[in-house]
């Protein structure tokens, strides 16, 4: 892993490890995992169409590349995207993916807006929600813990974060009573107009069931909240008897009143697949029941980049069993499955994750350590992460970045074979704190 | 050209041409021109590194791909960009390009912000300038004619367009008296805080000389205007004895007072090279003397897409004479040179263009045609463009899109071998109008 890193120095001091392993974000390539050949091969052919003649590349790769090139103006990835929200043929292909995924519930190409990753789409939409100040400031109901980039995004956009807690002892499920409490509490200082949902949950890995989703939709409808459904980990559910059900599907099966009026935006991205392609920045929003005038404002750039659209199309429509690339593609998926069950680290406790790339274990820190952190002016989970980085070269995320602000401490890390190192560190860290 | 278009129908009526040729934008690939192999080959290898072993690809292509991969986290284009404004090594490479271009005037990597095309960068910067309303609304001095996407962009951002005219009879040069007039006129209804410069001029093809640039800088300094220098056609100057001189270079040679205080942002893009790569959306802003706090707000996306950065790096650092791809690269450049001198179309008059992909000829329309357009409720240049599209299948841009609102009419089109068609159309159009 990361064999290219030189010896690591920190402020001139040589560190006791050869390289830094960053597992704080869901970036598999940074951590040294190889990409899925199929996606990369097709994109290489799209960029350099001479490779269409290259017989050493699988036939389905070349056929797929030709199909994607035909979606581009002038048959080239170098021409502007036909419309600023995306290539019409890509919009169509994505809506077909969604219709398949949702068992026939129709998705409309004109509701698909191509984005540079899900976060960019979200930030554009949040911008449109921004208004007021003080008690009239727009608020967004936000799960705690939440994706670690969300609190800053809300802050930068000028929106009030209205926290609703997910309870660890309930496996991080959404709790309706807590939603009501949070809304009332939020209304004291702002005007909540949207609810942010992360399903499967980031960083918790919790997958919502149909009943919960129905309740959340009714709650949002009663309280005039737009639903912002971050569903980027939909493709990596592995919990036993768990399945991803989209908010869109449930909504459209709750009868006309809900199906035709509730405003819903669903976000997806290629950064979050089994082997996500984070650097390519492909994503989409599906906007349901959103006013056409608002949709018009969602064009995030004068012309949507072409390559991320193609990568997204590929990622959502992988090779089929009859395609020559099918076997190699499914092998890679199997590999990432193998990483999914490294669940418990000694000295910590962790809710079983059902989906997504993260583990979010609770670290049990003795009170004197919390005191020590206070003395140093940092949060205890941040101190823990700093020491883990300095001593083992492993970079994990502190739970406070995910908005977790209670007396318990958490860390967030991507599945990797680092658990033993963390285990050792945790023990010696707690011991050093006792004696130090 | 566009041989893949089917027969063209308009509201069910078959048209007298086989395909539509769109030369209204500067998009060469849409118009059927082949890409530069070198750029596409290197990018294909970056996406699918197995091709590093492919001996049929030139050695310098594979070496360059390896160099670019080394700039990426984990050696993969699939990992997140290290910082949200770009890969540090790409920033460094671009600043080196600028330093070379400006004959040694230093450019600093931390002043380079990677963008998804120049327009996206511009729109982010304009957003930061937006404030006030009515007489306190921020205004931007804007050339007329200007890039055809600019008026809408200013409008959408909530900025007041303060027009300064470029005069056709002066070859579309910037006129200092006109700048003073425009500023005074603008101050009546808004607060001008920036001046937008297009050099080489879009769509005029005019290249500014050092003396003019100095005067514009002094004018901007005296009046506390930020200079927004759109310099995207810097790489395609072909007018005799004309050379591109950057605003940055002139500024830094005008002495400390100017060099260390004048706020300047220069925009560049890969969409506008000889054979631009519009769909890849690569660009940068160089921000000079901009407050660090403002720079911090210029991160346009949570993580800059990686591929556009690599395409930009390649485009600014083409093969050198000693590289195996050098010959094929310069041949393609030669081809695009050959298109540059198709300058005059009968029945029109056109200032000689010195740079960039556009011609911006004046179309001399008889008064009764202008009346006819008025009767139909359209602008005369728009009517002209509509008819040219319907009758010949050629799509050119109407001058009014470039903000041109005087009694003269213009069209904007990319160099292509269509002049004879336009010539024939122009004659029959004017005749039909006389008899019709």
């Amino acid at each position: 892993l990361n064999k290219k890193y030189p010896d690591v120095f920190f402020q001139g001091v040589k560190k006791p490890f050869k390289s830094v392993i960053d597992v704080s974000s869901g970036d598999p390539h940074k951590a040294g995992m190889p990409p899925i050949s199929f996606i990369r091969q097709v994109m290489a052919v799209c960029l350099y169409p001479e490779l269409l003649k290259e017989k050493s590349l699988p036939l389905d790769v070349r056929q797929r590349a030709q199909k994607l090139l035909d979606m581009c103006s002038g048959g080239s990835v170098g021409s502007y995207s036909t419309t600023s929200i995306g290539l019409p043929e890509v919009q169509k292909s994505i809506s077909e993916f969604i219709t398949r995924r949702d068992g026939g519930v129709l998705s409309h190409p004109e509701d698909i807006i191509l984005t540079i990753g899900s976060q960019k789409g979200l930030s554009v939409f949040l911008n449109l929600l921004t208004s007021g100040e003080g008690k009239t400031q727009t608020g967004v109901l936000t799960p705690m813990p939440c994706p670690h980039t969300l609190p800053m995004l809300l802050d930068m956009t000028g929106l009030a974060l209205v926290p609703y807690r997910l309870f660890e002892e309930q496996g991080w499920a959404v709790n309706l009573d807590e939603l009501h409490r949070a809304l009332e509490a939020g209304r004291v200082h702002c005007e909540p107009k949207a609810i942010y949902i992360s399903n499967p949950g980031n960083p918790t890995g919790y997958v919502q069931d149909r009943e919960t989703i129905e309740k959340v939709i009714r709650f949002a409808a009663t309280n005039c909240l737009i639903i912002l459904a971050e569903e980027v980990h939909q493709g990596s559910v592995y919990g036993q008897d768990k399945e991803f059900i989209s908010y869109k599907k449930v909504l459209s099966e709750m009868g006309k009143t809900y199906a035709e009026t509730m405003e819903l935006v669903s976000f997806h991205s290629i950064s979050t697949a089994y082997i996500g392609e984070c650097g390519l920045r492909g994503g989409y929003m599906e906007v349901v029941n959103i006013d056409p005038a608002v949709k018009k404002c969602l064009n995030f750039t004068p012309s949507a980049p072409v390559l991320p659209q193609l990568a997204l199309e590929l990622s959502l429509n992988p090779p089929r069993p009859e395609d020559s690339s099918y076997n190699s593609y499914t092998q890679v998926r199997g590999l990432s499955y193998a990483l999914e069950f490294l669940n418990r680290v000694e000295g910590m406790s962790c809710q079983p994750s059902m989906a997504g790339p993260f583990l979010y274990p609770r670290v049990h820190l003795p009170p004197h350590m919390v005191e020590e952190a206070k003395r140093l002016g940092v949060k205890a989970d941040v101190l823990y992460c700093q020491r883990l980085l300095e001593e083992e070269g492993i970079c994990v995320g502190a739970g406070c970045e995910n908005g977790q602000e209670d007396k318990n401490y958490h860390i967030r890390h991507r599945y990797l074979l680092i658990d033993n190192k963390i285990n050792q560190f945790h023990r010696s860290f707690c011991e050093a704190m006792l004696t130090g």
Side-chain angles (χ1 to χ4, degrees), chain A:
Chain A
L1 294 180
N2 292 299
K3 52 188 178 299
K4 275 178 202 146
Y5 277 91
D7 282 347
V8 172
F9 290 83
F10 181 68
Q11 297 185 341
V13 181
K14 189 164 184 294
K15 287 289 163 190
F17 43 84
K18 281 275 173 190
S19 65
V20 169
I21 301 172
D22 184 352
V23 285
S24 64
S25 82
D27 187 336
H29 300 291
K30 191 175 176 184
M33 289 167 77
I36 295 179
S37 299
F38 175 74
I39 292 177
R40 297 299 194 83
Q41 286 172 331
V42 176
M43 290 192 70
V45 179
C46 288
L47 271 159
Y48 186 51
E50 282 292 308
L51 294 172
L52 284 167
K53 303 173 204 150
E54 182 55 54
K55 294 276 158 58
S56 67
L57 289 170
L59 180 63
D60 64 329
V61 161
R62 289 177 282 143
Q63 285 172 334
R64 189 63 175 277
Q66 185 60 64
K67 206 174 146 193
L68 291 182
L69 286 171
D70 290 344
M71 295 182 181
C72 303
S73 304
S76 170
V77 299
S79 52
Y80 286 114
S81 184
T82 333
T83 76
S84 58
I85 59 169
L87 296 163
E89 289 292 316
V90 174
Q91 291 175 292
K92 186 162 162 278
S93 169
I94 293 169
S95 70
E96 285 164 1
F97 156 80
I98 295 172
T99 302
R100 268 198 317 278
R101 180 197 72 188
D102 289 348
V105 174
L106 274 185
S107 165
H108 305 285
E110 66 274 19
D111 289 343
I112 308 300
I113 295 169
L114 278 300
T115 63
I116 303 179
S118 63
Q119 278 203 70
K120 185 59 194 172
L122 177 63
S123 98
V124 171
F125 201 90
L126 290 177
N127 254 313
L128 295 182
L129 284 178
T130 310
S131 74
E133 47 189 330
K135 285 197 172 185
T136 65
Q137 188 188 14
T138 301
V140 178
L141 269 83
T142 306
M144 291 288 129
C146 66
H148 68 281
T149 49
L150 186 59
M152 197 176 71
L153 186 57
L154 291 172
D155 187 45
M156 278 177 60
T157 321
L159 291 163
L161 190 158
V162 180
Y164 64 92
R165 283 164 298 173
L166 306 173
F167 299 104
E168 193 164 14
E169 55 275 22
Q170 294 167 13
W172 304 114
V174 176
N175 178 310
L176 261 288
D177 291 338
E178 169 63 8
L179 284 187
H180 284 285
R181 184 211 59 77
L183 183 66
E184 288 317 308
R187 279 179 175 156
V188 174
H189 63 88
C190 70
E191 286 185 16
K193 288 185 189 156
I195 177 169
Y196 181 95
I197 299 288
S198 177
N199 179 46
N202 174 349
T204 65
Y206 183 83
V207 178
Q208 297 181 14
D209 58 18
R210 176 183 290 267
E211 200 191 332
T212 306
I213 296 175
E214 276 183 15
K215 282 182 188 161
V216 172
I217 291 174
R218 282 203 192 90
F219 167 79
T222 311
N223 296 291
C224 299
L225 301 171
I226 297 174
I227 298 175
L228 306 173
E230 178 264 273
E231 298 178 313
V232 300
H233 292 299
Q234 59 184 265
S236 50
V237 175
Y238 45 79
Q240 224 172 349
D241 302 325
K242 296 291 167 190
E243 65 165 334
F244 168 75
I245 312 172
S246 75
Y247 267 71
K248 163 91 180 298
K249 180 176 163 69
V250 176
L251 177 63
S252 52
E253 291 169 353
M254 283 171 70
K256 268 199 170 185
T257 320
Y258 290 101
E260 294 181 1
T261 60
M262 269 302 293
E263 291 172 296
L264 166 71
V265 188
S266 164
F267 301 90
H268 196 9
S269 156
I270 56 171
S271 305
T272 51
Y274 285 101
I275 308 278
E277 289 284 2
C278 310
L280 305 188
R281 314 303 303 127
Y284 74 78
M285 304 189 251
E286 185 184 22
V287 294
V288 180
N289 296 323
I290 299 290
D291 191 292
V294 174
K295 263 162 82 173
K296 246 186 147 172
C297 300
L298 290 171
N299 302 355
F300 66 99
T301 170
S303 172
V306 170
L307 295 176
Q309 299 186 54
L310 303 189
L312 180 68
E313 205 281 341
L314 280 168
S315 174
L316 298 182
N317 297 288
R320 297 174 190 182
E322 65 270 26
D323 296 331
S324 36
S325 297
Y326 182 74
N327 283 341
S328 64
Y329 182 81
T330 45
Q331 263 164 27
V332 180
R333 275 178 57 135
L335 174 72
S336 72
Y337 267 119
L339 299 171
E340 282 151 12
F341 295 99
L342 303 164
N343 206 340
R344 284 181 181 277
V345 175
E346 206 182 315
M348 306 184 183
S349 63
C350 188
Q351 291 294 323
S353 169
M354 308 169 189
F358 292 116
L359 288 182
Y360 192 64
R362 179 171 162 191
V363 288
H364 300 275
L365 302 180
H368 68 272
M369 279 188 44
V370 180
E371 286 305 312
E372 171 73 4
K374 208 176 273 172
R375 199 183 57 76
L376 293 168
V378 292
K379 287 176 182 156
D381 50 357
V382 172
L383 177 66
Y384 184 91
C385 293
Q386 282 174 351
R387 295 282 167 84
L388 179 58
L389 176 61
E390 282 183 35
E391 292 175 24
E392 298 289 340
I394 296 175
C395 176
V396 301
C400 63
E401 293 173 355
N402 297 84
Q404 193 91 14
E405 288 284 13
D406 54 21
K407 282 163 294 174
N408 302 326
Y409 298 100
H410 292 77
I411 60 170
R412 173 189 75 250
H413 66 89
R414 193 181 167 78
Y415 304 121
L416 269 183
L417 303 165
I418 54 165
D419 302 71
N420 198 38
K421 273 196 166 184
I422 291 184
N423 193 356
Q424 278 169 21
F425 166 77
H426 186 73
R427 218 175 315 151
S428 61
F429 180 71
C430 292
E431 279 165 18
M433 279 287 177
L434 267 172
T435 56

